[in-house]
Amino acid sequence: MEKVKVGIVGLGRLGRQHAENLAYRIPNCELAAVCSVIEAEVKEAQEKWNVPYGYLKYEDMLDNKELDAIFIASPSGFHCQQIKQALEAGFHVFSEKPLGLYLEEAEEVQEVVEAHPNQVFMLGFMRRYDRSYAAAKEKIEQGHIGEPIFIRCYGLDPAAQLDSFLQFAKSNYSGGLFLDMAIHDLDLARWYLKTEPKEVWAIGGGYARSEFDEIQDAETGAAMVRFENNAMGVFLAGRNCAHGYHIETEIIGTKGSLRIGTVPERNQIVIMSETGVVQECVAGFLERFEQAYLSEVEEFVNCILENRRPSVTVEDGVESTRLGYACKKSFETKQLVDVTKDKVTFQ
Ligand code: NAI
């Protein structure tokens, strides 16, 4: 195979970015098919990126045996079903996060992935491919901060998009703040600390917008996690960040600490004027993680061509879903949740 022929499902905010990367920015890849339930999106994508096949039904795209791989960027509630269908139809599969909204469905997907060992499966935890996050991993592995014992993460969406997030939260497709937003940080915690979560206590509310309370979701929420090796994690997620898109991570070790993204600056410009000293903030995920979205797709395509497996595994998807789901349950029940391997139970 000289070029990997990919079909993508979901042409929304992120799907369009992935489609453009697949169509133009990866030399050994061809975007051969697009699928969405919205006809106008399919037509627009076909014209814009010169894509030969367009589908309104996912199953019809899976019947196209010219394709090698399926790329899933549909709403989160569809991921598990669409991953299983694509694997069973013989395709390599990339799926956006989260793997699933419920632990049972995520575990079912794991079984299907493991039953198809010759097909590449990759999950979109793109932060692991971001240069700064990847460099931090190397520094930790090289021992620069000793043994990591604490991780603090901020995952804050811009307040300017609060209304659209409220609609999204009401849609039933999001899985709630912790599974949708904090999931990246929960994955990073497992990756950096190399341990699994033991118990979690999550709180939050609709502080600026009480509508979030009505739908039992948090506009801003915090989770505190104890890991099996007694390391600690504090995760703040939110939809109401006044200054823009703020993704920050701090890891404290026995011999030092490191931080990523403490000032979420858009670029290196500092404007000094009568209003003060100002650095603009990055506006959203597409801008902050532009390089990571491209790098993760390159890795997926190269894994197929070189018959390798990506470092992000289906187990990472299951374990992050287990923790994200436990955060959601703790938030909803106001109880400490036991999140050890075989159970998510209340104490
Ligand atoms: P969106 O709502 O903007 O787009 C969803 C797309 O899927 C639309 O094109 C819609 O028409 C299509 N669609 C809906 N139901 C469908 C179905 N049954 N079959 C086929 N297509 C269907 O959503 P967005 O923000 O692009 O998110 C998509 C996924 O990407 C979500 O799972 C989300 O969690 C994930 N995501 C990941 C991010 C990351 O940083 N890795 C950032 C943003 C989203």
Side-chain angles (χ1 to χ4, degrees):
M1 188 194 309
E2 278 175 22
K3 274 196 175 198
V4 177
K5 286 192 174 184
V6 181
I8 187 169
V9 59
L11 294 168
R13 294 181 312 159
L14 186 54
R16 278 199 290 269
Q17 176 78 18
H18 283 315
E20 195 167 296
N21 282 340
L22 290 161
Y24 288 144
R25 301 202 178 91
I26 302 176
N28 43 15
C29 169
E30 180 185 332
L31 181 62
V34 290
C35 172
S36 168
V37 287
I38 299 173
E39 194 171 1
E41 287 182 349
V42 174
K43 276 197 174 147
E44 188 200 341
Q46 282 193 269
E47 281 167 19
K48 195 166 174 190
W49 297 302
N50 203 15
V51 181
Y53 298 105
Y55 300 96
L56 290 173
K57 266 187 76 187
Y58 181 62
E59 289 74 14
D60 291 343
M61 184 163 77
L62 297 185
D63 283 338
N64 183 342
K65 298 306 173 199
E66 279 181 41
L67 301 176
D68 304 300
I70 298 295
F71 209 97
I72 298 171
S74 53
S76 305
F78 296 105
H79 293 177
C80 284
Q81 181 60 27
Q82 291 182 338
I83 294 168
K84 284 193 286 183
Q85 285 175 282
L87 286 168
E88 281 161 2
F91 297 106
H92 304 287
V93 178
F94 180 103
S95 172
E96 257 315 321
K97 51 54 61 172
L99 180 61
L101 299 183
Y102 302 95
L103 192 49
E104 298 73 26
E105 61 172 9
E107 285 173 337
E108 267 176 48
V109 169
Q110 182 170 19
E111 281 176 26
V112 180
V113 170
E114 286 167 357
H116 295 85
N118 297 325
Q119 290 157 243
V120 173
F121 173 76
M122 183 168 173
L123 195 66
F125 281 138
M126 81 299 178
R127 286 201 205 160
R128 295 191 188 198
Y129 297 87
D130 173 76
R131 280 191 201 104
S132 300
Y133 278 95
K137 174 74 171 165
E138 269 184 41
K139 296 289 178 205
I140 293 170
E141 298 287 309
Q142 288 163 358
H144 287 267
I145 63 166
E147 194 62 31
I149 56 164
F150 177 84
I151 184 164
R152 170 182 66 85
C153 301
Y154 290 168
L156 305 175
D157 269 326
Q161 290 167 21
L162 192 52
D163 282 329
S164 70
F165 281 122
L166 188 55
Q167 291 315 313
F168 173 57
K170 283 180 182 167
S171 73
N172 265 350
Y173 292 132
S174 80
L177 182 70
F178 294 102
L179 274 161
D180 179 60
M181 187 72 190
I183 193 95
H184 287 292
D185 292 317
L186 304 177
D187 173 62
L188 289 176
R190 294 182 56 255
W191 191 48
Y192 285 134
L193 302 180
K194 295 210 263 192
T195 181
E196 295 297 344
K198 193 168 188 298
E199 51 196 354
V200 58
W201 166 244
I203 54 178
Y207 301 95
R209 295 293 287 271
S210 57
E211 294 101 308
F212 281 91
D213 294 328
E214 287 156 26
I215 53 169
Q216 271 218 317
D217 196 359
E219 155 232 295
T220 305
M224 182 179 277
V225 177
R226 183 202 302 280
F227 290 87
E228 279 176 353
N229 68 355
N230 206 28
M232 303 163 275
V234 173
F235 304 88
L236 180 74
R239 308 292 195 189
N240 188 32
C241 183
H243 56 273
Y245 182 63
H246 189 137
I247 303 296
E248 178 183 352
T249 306
E250 177 179 29
I251 300 150
I252 299 178
T254 49
K255 292 183 182 163
S257 64
L258 60 79
R259 292 182 188 189
I260 307 147
T262 293
V263 179
E265 72 263 17
R266 166 169 263 172
N267 50 40
Q268 294 191 23
I269 301 171
V270 182
I271 303 167
M272 287 168 260
S273 70
E274 61 187 9
T275 56
V277 180
V278 174
Q279 264 189 296
E280 286 183 0
C281 182
V282 68
F285 57 86
L286 293 174
E287 187 180 351
R288 168 62 184 86
F289 291 109
E290 185 182 7
Q291 168 265 315
Y293 290 125
L294 180 59
S295 297
E296 68 174 354
V297 183
E298 278 170 347
E299 174 64 359
F300 175 62
V301 169
N302 287 336
C303 279
I304 295 170
L305 290 170
E306 295 161 17
N307 196 19
R308 293 189 281 113
R309 295 294 165 265
S311 59
V312 183
T313 65
V314 69
E315 194 190 352
D316 294 321
V318 173
E319 295 311 319
S320 56
T321 294
R322 187 191 309 280
L323 179 52
Y325 187 67
C327 291
K328 177 180 158 75
K329 283 290 150 198
S330 176
F331 165 69
E332 286 172 358
T333 62
K334 302 183 169 57
Q335 292 189 48
L336 187 73
V337 170
D338 180 339
V339 59
T340 45
K341 193 107 181 143
D342 299 325
K343 54 186 176 185
V344 175
T345 53
F346 315 120
Q347 294 176 343

